[in-house]
Amino acid sequence: AQSVTQLDSHVSVSEGTPVLLRCNYSSSYSPSLFWYVQHPNKGLQLLLKYTSAATLVKGINGFEAEFKKSETSFHLTKPSAHMSDAAEYFCVVKNSGGSNYKLTFGKGTLLTVNP
Amino acid sequence: NAGVTQTPKFQVLKTGQSMTLQCAQDMNHEYMSWYRQDPGMGLRLIHYSVGAGITDQGEVPNGYNVSRSTTEDFPLRLLSAAPSQTSVYFCASSYPGGGGEQFFGPGTRLTVL
């Protein structure tokens, strides 16, 4: 069985300050991990994914995440927040070798960026 | 490419009514899925398909039917709408070698009164 826990339901930062969105996962096998972003009234867009290559993964719009097996974590970071980063972010896990349609989503973290 | 398209964008139903949410993709993806999104719940898988003619249940299938007669289309049917089905519905597609990345449609916001 696999599961994912997003440790904060809401994160608020000021524009220009760092962003940290925390995600812990549980998986019986080596997982693939993803971060998706959802802007208001939009569909989900892939930010980045980890599939057992480099543990530090770079994504779009300056985001990156580090896979830490010992801590079962996959936290999302960005050095400097922009107003356009305000959105909901989902951490997602898939068992390695598992079906591509069987993803497990976290409950989401709403990121607010204050001017 | 249009990607994944969904219609309608908004729908209001009365309890007991039936309707079909449409989903189409033009990327020739084998896998298609339906999710529902509820506040604080993330996305939950309703039904999925691994190819034309093949469908299976996900985490929350009750009250929904699907069929897949073509690679491109994957409609979701609500047989007798209930207020508990008020939600935002997302269709997604993916391909076997894609490492799990899914491509999402813009969603359908459904309200059942």
Side-chain angles (χ1 to χ4, degrees), chain A residues 32 34 36 38 41-46 49 51 88 90 94 99-108, chain B residues 31 33 35 37 40-43 45 48 50 90 94-102 104-106 109:
Chain A
S32 295
F34 310 82
Y36 281 85
Q38 183 182 29
N41 300 313
K42 300 288 186 184
L44 280 74
Q45 178 186 18
L46 182 69
K49 64 180 178 182
T51 54
E88 189 156 26
F90 294 93
K94 179 183 88 73
S99 304
N100 282 356
Y101 46 83
K102 288 211 168 177
L103 306 181
T104 299
F105 285 76
K107 295 185 177 182
Chain B
Y31 299 159
S33 306
Y35 294 89
Q37 182 181 25
M41 301 288 289
L43 272 72
L45 183 64
Y48 62 91
V50 299
F90 288 99
S94 60
Y95 56 99
E101 177 182 357
Q102 296 200 359
F104 285 85
R109 186 174 295 273

Side-chain angles (χ1 to χ4, degrees), chain B residues 24-108:
Chain B
Q25 53 93 7
D26 62 359
M27 297 173 284
N28 203 32
H29 286 170
E30 292 184 33
Y31 299 159
M32 295 186 74
S33 306
W34 276 102
Y35 294 89
R36 60 177 289 172
Q37 182 181 25
D38 302 292
M41 301 288 289
L43 272 72
R44 293 181 291 169
L45 183 64
I46 304 172
H47 284 285
Y48 62 91
S49 170
V50 299
I54 306 170
T55 64
D56 206 345
Q57 296 181 350
E59 181 184 354
V60 288
N62 292 341
Y64 307 95
N65 271 1
V66 292
S67 61
R68 184 121 177 252
S69 56
T70 67
T71 300
E72 295 78 19
D73 300 298
F74 190 43
L76 178 72
R77 297 182 188 84
L78 280 69
L79 307 173
S80 177
S84 61
Q85 294 178 304
T86 294
S87 188
V88 181
Y89 292 84
F90 288 99
C91 180
S93 71
S94 60
Y95 56 99
E101 177 182 357
Q102 296 200 359
F103 296 80
F104 285 85
T108 294

Side-chain angles (χ1 to χ4, degrees), chain A residues 28-112:
Chain A
S28 302
Y29 306 96
S30 298
S32 295
L33 293 156
F34 310 82
W35 277 99
Y36 281 85
V37 60
Q38 183 182 29
H39 288 94
N41 300 313
K42 300 288 186 184
L44 280 74
Q45 178 186 18
L46 182 69
L47 266 182
L48 50 81
K49 64 180 178 182
Y50 165 78
T51 54
S52 77
T55 56
L56 183 62
V57 181
K58 294 188 184 299
I60 61 172
N61 299 333
F63 284 94
E64 63 181 36
E66 186 171 8
F67 173 71
K68 292 187 176 180
K69 186 175 181 179
S70 60
E71 299 176 11
T72 61
S73 69
F74 190 58
H75 301 335
L76 182 70
T77 61
K78 183 174 181 178
S80 176
H82 192 274
M83 296 296 290
S84 61
D85 295 328
E88 189 156 26
Y89 292 79
F90 294 93
C91 184
V92 182
V93 64
K94 179 183 88 73
N95 280 339
S96 177
S99 304
N100 282 356
Y101 46 83
K102 288 211 168 177
L103 306 181
T104 299
F105 285 76
K107 295 185 177 182
T109 298
L110 181 65
L111 176 66
T112 301

